[in-house]
Each structure stands twice: as C-alpha cells, then as structure tokens.
C-alpha cells in the first residue's frame, strides 16, 4: 500500500478504539469511584468499564478487518497484524485512561479540555506496539503524520460528535 494510505490503515484500530466509547460507554466507572490522597478521583466518571472494553473490542475488530486483507502495515505477517489490532486498541484505551489520570492529578475536571486528550492515547498506543512492530513505524515522517493528523482530526470529530448529540461538549 502506497504512503500515506498505509499510515491511514494503521490508524484505523486506534481511531475506532478512541471514538467508539462515546457510543458504547456508560455505567460503572473504571476507577469504581475511588479517590487518591489529593481528593480527586483516580480517573473520573468519563472513563467507564463498558467504554474501555467496548472501545478495545471495536478497535480490535476494526484492526481485524484490515488484517484480514493483509493491510495493517509495519507487522511481519498476518497473525501479528491480528494481534497488533488488539494491542493498538487496548493501548489506545489504556493511554486514554493514563491521560485522565494525569488530568485528575492536575485538578482538571472530567470533560474539560486538556492537551493530553488529543494525543495521550496515540502516544501510548505507539509505545505499546513497539515490541511487535517494524522499527520503520517510528520514522520521523510517520510520527509527524500521525501527530499532525490526530491533532487536527480529534477536535473535528469531537465537534461532529457534539453536533450529532453524542457528546455533551464540543471538545
Ligand atoms: N467514555 C467511556 N469510557 C471510556 C472512555 C470514554 O465511557 N473508557 C465515554 C464517556 O461517556 C465520556 C465520553 O466517552 O464522557 C468522552 O470521552 P472523553 O472525552 O475521553 O472523556 P471525558 O468525559 O472528557 O473525561 P476526561 O476528562 O477524563 O477525559
Ligand atoms: Mg473529553
């Protein structure tokens, strides 16, 4: 697959995993309501168990569809591509929660905008996939493409989700 199409295919499990919890989430919070000694919630009500599992599953399925066509780049064979779909999806939700953890420690309320919202999930997914990915993934041009596209697309998707009535706030 020609660049940058291959890079877009790589992002599919990450973007599906990151966006689907708005629809699939709800119910019990991942932190079960627990607070740390700073008095703030560990993660807050914006991170739910259903959102975490649903997002991971949705991203894994999306990655699986790409892998079924042998089209997930940066992995040596199809089996690794299927595994990568899961790792990328899980890494995305994990990174999203890490972002919220840091946000709460900084005293920023759930749902308020914060720079990590836009990029933490991507950084953690890229770090977690390292052990099974081709080192070419980390070429500076690829990283720049991922970062710029995500910094542009993420706010746009949030605005659309807000207009569609899926999200309370436009960020
Ligand atoms: N969501 C969820 N479970 C997750 C992630 C997201 O249920 N693990 C749902 C929640 O309904 C959340 C919405 O998707 O409100 C938007 O996600 P996000 O913007 O990441 O969460 P915020 O509500 O902004 O919370 P935070 O400040 O912790 O990022
Ligand atoms: Mg938010």
């Amino acid at each position: 697959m020609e660049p940058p199409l291959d890079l877009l295919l790589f992002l599919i499990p990450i973007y599906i995993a990151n966006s689907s919890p708005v629809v699939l989430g709800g119910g019990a919070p991942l932190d079960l309501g627990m607070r740390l000694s700073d008095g703030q919630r560990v993660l807050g009500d914006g991170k739910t168990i259903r959102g975490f599992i649903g997002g991971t599953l949705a991203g894994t399925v999306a990655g699986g569809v790409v892998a079924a066509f042998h089209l997930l780049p940066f992995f040596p064979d199809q089996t690794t591509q299927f595994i990568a779909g899961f790792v990328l999806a899980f890494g995305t939700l994990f990174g999203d929660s890490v972002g919220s953890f840091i946000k709460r420690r900084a005293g920023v309320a759930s749902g308020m905008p914060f720079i990590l919202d836009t990029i933490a999930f991507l950084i953690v997914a890229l770090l977690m996939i390292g052990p099974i990915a081709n080192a070419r993934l980390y070429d500076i041009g690829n990283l720049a493409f991922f970062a710029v596209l995500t910094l542009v697309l993420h706010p746009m998707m949030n605005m659309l989700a807000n207009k569609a009535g899926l999200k309370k706030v436009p960020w």
Side-chain angles (χ1 to χ4, degrees), residues 59 103 120:
K103 217 169 149 179

Side-chain angles (χ1 to χ4, degrees), residues 71-93:
L71 286 176
L72 201 63
F74 307 115
F75 304 101
D77 51 59
Q78 195 182 27
T79 306
T80 314
Q81 289 186 31
F82 280 113
I83 296 167
F86 167 74
V87 175
L88 288 170
F90 178 81
T92 295
L93 269 299

